[in-house]
Amino acid sequence: MTPHPVRIGIDVGGTFTDAVAVDATTFALLGQVKVPTSHDHPDGVAHGILAALRELQEQTGIDPSSVSFLAHGTTQATNALLEGDVATVGVVGVGRGFESWATGRLKSLAKLQLTPGKGLPIRYAGVRDAEDPVEVKAAVAKVVDEGADVVVAVQPFSVDDPLGERAVVAQARAQGLLATATHEITGLYGLAKRARTAVLNAGIMPRMVETADLVERSVEAAGITAPLMVMRGDGGVMSLPEMRRRPLLTALSGPAAGVAGALMGERLSEGVFLETGGTSTDISVVRRGRVQVRHARLGGRETYLPALDVRTVGVGGGSLVRLDGTTVRAVGPRSAHIAGLAYACFAPAKALADATLVTIAPKPGDPADYVALETPDGTRYALTPTCAANALGVVPPDSYAHCDPEAARRAVAPLAAALGLSTEDAATAVLRQAVKPVKAVVDDLVDAYGLDRETLSLVGGGGGAASVTPFLGVESGLDWRIAAHSEVISPLGAALALVRESVEKIVPNPSHTDVLAVRAQAEQAVIAQGADPAGVEVDVTVDPQRNLILAVATGATELRTKDRAAVVDDDEVLADVARTLGVPGSEVSELARTGHHRALGARSRPKGFLGRFRPVAQHVRVVDVDGVVRLHSANAHVERTSVGEASGTLTRLVDEHTRVGDGGSRAPAVWLLVGPKIADLSGVLDRDQLVALIGAELKSRTPDEPLVAILEDRG
């Protein structure tokens, strides 16, 4: 029996369903299981989830009552959209005159191609007067008679006045139908994009709601009463009732679970996460402890679906090597899985004796420049980056991708002979071509997001992590590491993920009252889904050019207090911070601290030729009780105060650090270290909005509580 509460994460993949149990206090992995995904069972994937839960319970002896949290990720929504397997959607447009004309044009959504030859099945009816229940009922009946399985209510300006859409949704639900409305999806203007997103949400709603019901029953059958959460595409989780309302948010959540695992399990603060499977590598960014999110494109068109900014490269641990004469031309995109071959390096070394190099076309129509090994008995094996990495000795011994080094060297030997190189040089040639497209994407992301190369880390996850990340780290000169239990990083991410909600709203010339209202809406949304109010963090960004307010709230379903401070070596922390700052350890000093964070800093001039002409800067690194860098700044002011004195002190500092230029005034970027949180207010440029948000962050704190403010001038 486990002494601590347990968190369970499940990742439903195309072939296997992986499940893990994690100690909710220490994050230690208690057990992991893998079962076949039950696509063809009458209960669908829910049957595999139940099987995984029962096997996990048998393996670990977990008492169902000790499970405090359970989350699962699934590719079901993504696959339904990619395959065009969606329900028929009845669009009910509300309005007269111009509004009627605008909603009528949404019939063209039927032309949106989810996959070649499969569009969105749309039925349409209009309502002139949403206050007339007879007319609304007739419109809903019309689309249902024409085959609609689910209803979407659309009105051009429903983000300001949703009464018309609500009337349609209420009537549809009164008739026992699933229904949604555009204002429930987003608070942003843009009728076509908002309606497109709502229709896609509705298209997968019947299937996803049915699956949710089955999964819920499976969890109950396993005796677990903890809240059941579902992975979102932006790296967080949401409650099951919320998933039933907005299932589209689960789309593109496959890579999100892995990033959540790196963010929480690996405590990644600044860096690039690479999740490498057998065929491809998903690459995403964590900046200042936050995932990077953008609106996703589905069916070739942009939507209002928030999803991680993930770039996928067709290189994985099982990618096949391609030759051009006596040169390694490329690696991938075809893989051992596609060719139906086993990795050569995982065969017994003696089985590869006298193997020869042969060229193959993995699929009919493919070029025959892919290579494989053929043994004297006719057995063929794939030559892969995993083979090359093991032959070169860069795979850590405890890695999932590690194999017998002798088998790996024998696997690469025939290629080395063909290239006229040593085994080590041939393996290097393979890996250099394998990581080339990955490195290009990493470099692009580092530049695009302004990551600090001195502090960022490459973190590899997935079963093929060690085939790509170690060599890429050496080639790039960047710190790298393989995530613990990388082969189950996705279910780990689901187990450790935080409840997340984002609220976007267009407000012309927003006041600080408008900003606070959007912030409160996001905060209350995650609390309503079970997040502990004491630990909720809300990041607010105000874009004055677009009149856009974005609030992203995250929180845990229980306040997790981990006691790792006893094992943290202060000298190691100082040495690590000194290394990232490029100064001797003796020059690093503690500037301020709270019970959960320390601000460490050193003064130095900017690097480069021009640095000698610039003033000395205060470089700051904020580390948590685990010794992990959670925030960094190249030039910041650090202020120690208390919650009770913060209002006057911080208002004065904001005024002192506000810069005025041709584009108007720009308040400083501000972070507050208070309690267990780092309140990120850096997305706000307006002085009054910033001061109001500071007040909102501190209103629930006690006056004598210590507070540290980090202020960074705008460039």
Side-chain angles (χ1 to χ4, degrees):
M1 306 295 286
T2 53
H4 298 143
V6 174
R7 297 170 71 90
I8 292 179
I10 302 172
D11 180 57
V12 182
T15 305
F16 291 103
T17 293
D18 292 295
V20 299
V22 179
D23 187 304
T25 302
T26 65
F27 290 2
L29 180 65
L30 304 176
Q32 63 188 77
V33 301
K34 182 188 294 286
V35 302
T37 298
S38 51
H39 294 292
D40 298 327
H41 191 274
D43 289 343
V45 299
H47 178 74
I49 290 176
L50 177 59
L53 287 172
R54 286 178 170 166
E55 190 171 323
L56 193 63
Q57 185 176 353
E58 291 174 4
Q59 180 192 107
T60 61
I62 293 171
D63 187 330
S65 65
S66 69
V67 177
S68 63
F69 176 93
L70 189 151
H72 81 282
T74 176
T75 59
Q76 191 170 26
T78 304
N79 292 343
L81 294 171
L82 291 176
E83 297 165 8
D85 186 12
V86 295
T88 300
V89 179
V91 176
V92 177
V94 179
R96 61 183 75 223
F98 171 78
E99 291 187 345
S100 176
W101 173 82
T103 58
R105 295 186 65 195
L106 296 176
K107 299 173 188 175
S108 64
L109 286 172
K111 299 178 182 178
L112 184 65
Q113 294 287 298
L114 297 175
T115 191
K118 283 194 174 183
L120 276 168
I122 298 293
R123 306 294 183 264
Y124 180 83
V127 171
R128 293 169 57 84
D129 183 4
E131 294 183 5
D132 182 350
V134 175
E135 185 181 1
V136 174
K137 184 176 182 180
V140 172
K142 178 178 182 296
V143 295
V144 171
D145 289 344
E146 293 176 359
D149 303 302
V150 59
V151 171
V152 174
V154 182
Q155 190 171 14
F157 300 103
S158 61
V159 294
D160 296 323
D161 181 5
L163 291 179
E165 288 190 350
R166 286 175 178 167
V168 172
V169 169
Q171 178 56 238
R173 290 173 180 166
Q175 297 183 32
L177 297 168
L178 293 172
T180 188
T182 69
H183 77 274
E184 295 179 344
I185 302 300
T186 179
L188 298 179
Y189 295 119
L191 176 64
K193 190 186 297 187
R194 196 169 75 248
R196 185 185 310 130
T197 310
V199 167
L200 290 170
N201 183 68
I204 62 174
M205 186 178 283
R207 184 176 180 183
M208 295 298 289
V209 167
E210 180 183 16
T211 297
D213 293 342
L214 291 170
V215 171
E216 188 172 41
R217 287 200 290 270
S218 292
V219 172
E220 291 174 353
I224 295 173
T225 59
L228 175 60
M229 313 298 284
V230 186
M231 202 74 208
R232 294 166 49 120
D234 59 6
V237 293
M238 60 182 173
S239 67
L240 205 61
E242 193 61 30
M243 192 279 274
R244 289 186 176 100
R245 193 170 73 92
R246 294 185 294 168
L248 187 65
L249 293 179
T250 68
L252 308 178
S253 63
V259 178
L263 189 65
M264 299 300 296
E266 292 297 311
R267 311 288 285 174
L268 178 61
S269 174
E270 186 89 356
V272 178
F273 176 66
L274 306 102
E275 185 166 11
T276 302
T279 303
S280 63
T281 297
D282 292 327
I283 308 169
S284 51
V285 165
V286 173
R287 183 174 183 270
R288 287 179 167 169
R290 299 289 187 268
V291 295
Q292 303 305 302
V293 176
R294 46 84 173 117
H295 287 147
R297 295 179 67 87
L298 295 170
R301 304 293 296 275
E302 189 173 281
T303 69
Y304 281 135
L305 169 66
L308 292 183
D309 184 2
V310 177
R311 317 289 171 87
T312 300
V313 179
V315 174
S319 296
L320 298 176
V321 178
R322 303 174 69 181
L323 283 188
D324 182 5
T326 57
T327 303
V328 177
R329 176 187 176 193
V331 176
R334 294 302 194 193
S335 67
H337 172 72
I338 295 297
L341 301 176
Y343 294 24
C345 58
F346 291 124
K350 63 182 181 181
L352 301 177
D354 301 320
T356 58
L357 204 65
V358 296
T359 57
I360 63 171
K363 288 286 186 180
D366 286 346
D369 59 358
Y370 292 87
V371 297
L373 300 184
E374 185 171 284
T375 61
D377 65 0
T379 303
R380 288 185 173 183
Y381 294 97
L383 185 58
T384 69
T386 301
C387 302
N390 278 284
L392 199 59
V394 298
V395 178
D398 60 348
S399 169
Y400 185 75
H402 186 263
C403 71
D404 176 10
E406 178 59 26
R409 287 190 289 269
R410 288 196 179 189
V412 176
L415 175 67
L419 299 177
L421 299 173
S422 67
T423 299
E424 290 75 15
D425 288 344
T428 299
V430 169
L431 291 175
R432 189 158 285 148
Q433 286 297 327
V435 304
K436 186 176 180 180
V438 179
K439 183 177 184 299
V441 172
V442 170
D443 289 342
D444 180 59
L445 286 171
V446 168
D447 293 340
Y449 285 104
L451 299 183
D452 184 351
R453 287 182 177 269
E454 297 295 325
T455 60
L456 74 84
S457 297
L458 299 179
V459 176
S467 305
V468 171
T469 301
F471 189 83
L472 175 62
V474 173
E475 286 282 288
S476 304
L478 299 173
D479 286 341
W480 65 270
R481 66 180 184 273
I482 303 299
H485 312 293
S486 63
E487 72 278 9
V488 288
I489 192 72
S490 289
L492 274 173
L496 299 175
L498 301 176
V499 183
R500 183 181 175 98
E501 186 59 78
S502 60
V503 176
E504 295 177 289
K505 195 168 183 62
I506 297 291
V507 181
N509 301 314
S511 66
H512 63 270
T513 302
D514 296 320
V515 175
L516 291 177
V518 175
R519 180 195 181 281
Q521 185 180 347
E523 182 178 40
Q524 289 304 311
V526 295
I527 292 174
Q529 295 181 65
D532 190 315
V536 173
E537 296 184 2
V538 186
D539 298 340
V540 178
T541 300
V542 181
D543 185 340
Q545 294 183 331
R546 299 166 59 198
N547 291 315
L548 172 67
I549 306 171
L550 168 63
V552 180
T554 54
T557 54
E558 75 284 340
L559 189 58
R560 293 172 297 177
T561 55
K562 298 186 345 177
D563 182 14
R564 291 186 180 178
V567 298
V568 173
D569 188 319
D570 282 348
D571 291 337
E572 289 184 6
V573 172
L574 289 173
D576 188 50
V577 169
R579 179 187 56 77
T580 67
L581 292 173
V583 300
S586 59
E587 295 185 15
V588 178
S589 61
E590 182 176 286
L591 305 176
R593 72 158 59 208
T594 69
H596 295 80
H597 299 94
R598 288 193 297 162
L600 304 174
R603 302 185 69 81
S604 66
R605 292 187 183 278
K607 296 179 180 179
F609 174 77
L610 295 177
R612 69 186 67 181
F613 304 108
R614 295 174 180 167
V616 173
Q618 177 70 70
H619 294 263
V620 175
R621 301 288 187 264
V622 174
V623 298
D624 63 16
V625 292
D626 292 329
V628 177
V629 176
R630 307 301 294 166
L631 177 66
H632 62 86
S633 173
N635 189 12
H637 174 83
V638 178
E639 185 75 14
R640 289 177 286 188
T641 183
S642 66
V643 170
E645 298 176 352
S647 178
T649 301
L650 296 185
T651 299
R652 172 180 57 81
L653 287 172
V654 167
D655 289 339
E656 290 177 358
H657 289 268
T658 295
R659 300 292 177 255
V660 180
D662 295 338
S665 64
R666 293 163 61 87
V670 175
W671 295 267
L672 304 178
L673 314 183
V674 56
K677 303 192 296 185
I678 299 179
D680 185 351
L681 309 180
S682 61
V684 181
L685 302 176
D686 180 83
R687 181 262 185 201
D688 291 342
Q689 294 169 356
L690 178 58
V691 171
L693 285 169
I694 290 173
E697 288 291 345
L698 303 182
K699 67 180 181 181
S700 62
R701 318 303 305 193
T702 57
D704 59 347
E705 190 171 357
L707 179 146
V708 175
I710 313 290
L711 293 90
E712 185 180 275
D713 291 349
R714 305 289 180 179

